[in-house]
Amino acid sequence: MSTTKVYSLHGKGLKLNTKEDIEPYLSELKGIPDVEEIHIGGNTLGAPACQALADVLKNLKSLKVANFADIFTGRLIDEIPTAIGALTDALIHSSTLREIDLSDNAFGPRCAPSLVPFLSQNTHFSILKLSNNGLGPEGSIIIAQALEQNASAARRHRVTGPRMMASVDPTDNQPSVSATSGQFKTNFRVFHCGRNRLQHESMAAWGKTFAAHGGLQEVRLYQNGIFEPGFPELIAGLSSCPDLKYLDLQDNTISEQGSSAIAKALPSWPNLETLNLSECYLTTKGSSKIFTVLKNGSNNKLTTLQLQYSEIGEKALVILAEAILDHLPNLTSLSINGNIANPEGKAILEITDALEEHGHGDALDELDEMEEPEEEEEEREEEAERRLDEVGEDDKTLKAKLKKGAEDKSVDDLANLLGKSTLS
């Protein structure tokens, strides 16, 4: 179905193997003057068909959106690098392109090099969607490094005499220098890269990339198998993006180390509106650090906070309630289901009251899967934390020392301080 300036074959289930197969559709495309969007997802294209399409793409002078999501179903992995490379290479010099979607294509790491020429050279696009591609840490590092090269290219291409901007417009296609901070920002604004097994090994590369671009407003890295050690470098890079509005890290293992990094970065994101940390194993201790910073008032534009199934206890939720009451007047959507608290207890009551104070009594999502806190267990944890503080050791360090079975007096003293605590 085609409309003015938009050409779409989306969802037709076409199998286009050759140039001859795709030719009738290319004729339709060429018949649309100044086409701005092309959507071909939900079909399957072979390498010869992609090359024929690429020849047409090179001549589209007004193209803004290229949607190539889900176009290789049933294709052999050997033909995909050539096919996707043809399509993206055709857009290297497109100065009008704003968005490209390559999601739901089974690239794997071996296809990542085919994307490098486009990703490293086209400095005009603002939105890159690259989710569910099976990149793995190896492929994702290749992509991250290409995008870091893109930032370097943008700096080289910036016109003499920077154009000052009071705000960032996602549709703008010229690199800029912030009027307030003087920080250089490329055009890169929105990045979706979920379900790609990025893992913590690639986070250093991504941190450098985000810092190099400086203007990210929306980052979605959900379901990537990122573990705790990867978050400090990732979040440090994102802290160089002061315009960040939307951050989605759902279903990764953030834990205490990652929570500390996020807490430290929150003041760097004064425009943050959506924060998704559901299924991230924040823990009570880790989430308390985040909520304490929110309580200090650095993110009062926050409208959506997603914290489901993250092992958050009542102690932390009380701090969240205080943060909402004091500094989150715009919070209209709060998800905390699946955490550890009595749905009718003090913490939930205080959260509800705080939301109602701002006129958002319906902001709290359902609480039908909350875990009942075990009082004795909580008391043991608090006592253990108190004793650990007394000896100045964190839990991991202390356990390591005790497990070594050292016989010196200092270790004996540490063991005695543990009292009735046991080691797993």
Side-chain angles (χ1 to χ4, degrees), residues 194-197 221-226 249-252 279:
R195 299 181 66 187
N196 263 311
R197 296 185 297 106
L221 301 177
Y222 55 90
Q223 297 178 4
N224 269 307
I226 306 169
L249 298 173
Q250 181 174 357
D251 201 8
N252 294 289
E279 302 176 89

Side-chain angles (χ1 to χ4, degrees), residues 173-204:
N173 71 326
Q174 294 295 329
S176 65
V177 175
S178 169
T180 55
S181 67
Q183 178 187 4
F184 175 79
K185 299 173 184 177
T186 72
N187 297 313
F188 195 19
R189 297 290 182 267
V190 177
F191 182 51
H192 296 187
C193 194
R195 299 181 66 187
N196 263 311
R197 296 185 297 106
L198 302 185
Q199 301 179 9
H200 64 274
E201 291 88 350
S202 70
M203 291 300 101

Side-chain angles (χ1 to χ4, degrees), residues 98-112:
R98 301 294 183 273
E99 175 179 343
I100 182 166
D101 190 347
L102 302 170
S103 300
D104 301 318
N105 291 306
F107 292 158
R110 67 185 299 173
C111 292

Side-chain angles (χ1 to χ4, degrees), residues 173-349:
N173 71 326
Q174 294 295 329
S176 65
V177 175
S178 169
T180 55
S181 67
Q183 178 187 4
F184 175 79
K185 299 173 184 177
T186 72
N187 297 313
F188 195 19
R189 297 290 182 267
V190 177
F191 182 51
H192 296 187
C193 194
R195 299 181 66 187
N196 263 311
R197 296 185 297 106
L198 302 185
Q199 301 179 9
H200 64 274
E201 291 88 350
S202 70
M203 291 300 101
W206 284 111
K208 290 174 62 179
T209 295
F210 293 140
H213 283 277
L216 271 297
Q217 294 182 351
E218 179 177 321
V219 176
R220 305 192 188 197
L221 301 177
Y222 55 90
Q223 297 178 4
N224 269 307
I226 306 169
F227 286 92
E228 184 178 13
F231 281 99
E233 290 176 296
L234 169 66
I235 300 301
L238 284 172
S239 68
S240 297
C241 299
D243 301 313
L244 191 67
K245 295 181 179 181
Y246 194 116
L247 179 59
D248 182 357
L249 298 173
Q250 181 174 357
D251 201 8
N252 294 289
T253 305
I254 292 176
S255 198
E256 293 179 23
Q257 190 176 358
S259 295
S260 295
I262 293 172
K264 183 179 179 180
L266 280 172
S268 303
W269 304 323
N271 299 310
L272 190 66
E273 297 175 357
T274 296
L275 180 60
N276 187 352
L277 302 177
S278 289
E279 302 176 89
C280 285
Y281 193 67
L282 298 176
T283 73
T284 296
K285 188 174 182 179
S287 60
S288 293
K289 297 177 182 179
I290 294 172
F291 301 157
T292 297
V293 175
L294 292 178
K295 184 181 173 182
N296 292 335
S298 60
N299 306 93
N300 58 16
K301 293 183 180 180
L302 201 64
T303 62
T304 301
L305 185 57
Q306 296 170 275
L307 303 163
Q308 299 185 83
Y309 307 100
S310 285
E311 298 294 320
I312 302 171
E314 291 185 319
K315 181 180 177 180
L317 292 175
V318 168
I319 301 174
L320 176 59
E322 295 170 352
I324 295 171
L325 183 62
D326 294 342
H327 290 293
L328 297 178
N330 299 304
L331 192 65
T332 56
S333 178
L334 174 63
S335 301
I336 57 173
N337 202 13
N339 286 297
I340 308 168
N342 183 346
E344 298 178 356
K346 174 186 176 183
I348 301 301
L349 180 61

Side-chain angles (χ1 to χ4, degrees), residues 57-120:
L57 291 175
K58 292 176 182 177
N59 298 314
L60 300 182
K61 304 304 181 184
S62 302
L63 187 65
K64 295 181 179 180
V65 177
N67 187 345
F68 301 145
D70 186 20
I71 60 171
F72 296 122
T73 299
R75 297 291 168 180
L76 297 175
I77 189 64
D78 290 340
E79 68 177 315
I80 296 177
T82 301
I84 195 61
L87 295 178
T88 53
D89 285 356
L91 299 173
I92 287 176
H93 302 295
S94 174
S95 62
T96 59
L97 189 68
R98 301 294 183 273
E99 175 179 343
I100 182 166
D101 190 347
L102 302 170
S103 300
D104 301 318
N105 291 306
F107 292 158
R110 67 185 299 173
C111 292
S114 299
L115 304 177
V116 169
F118 169 78
L119 293 178
S120 61

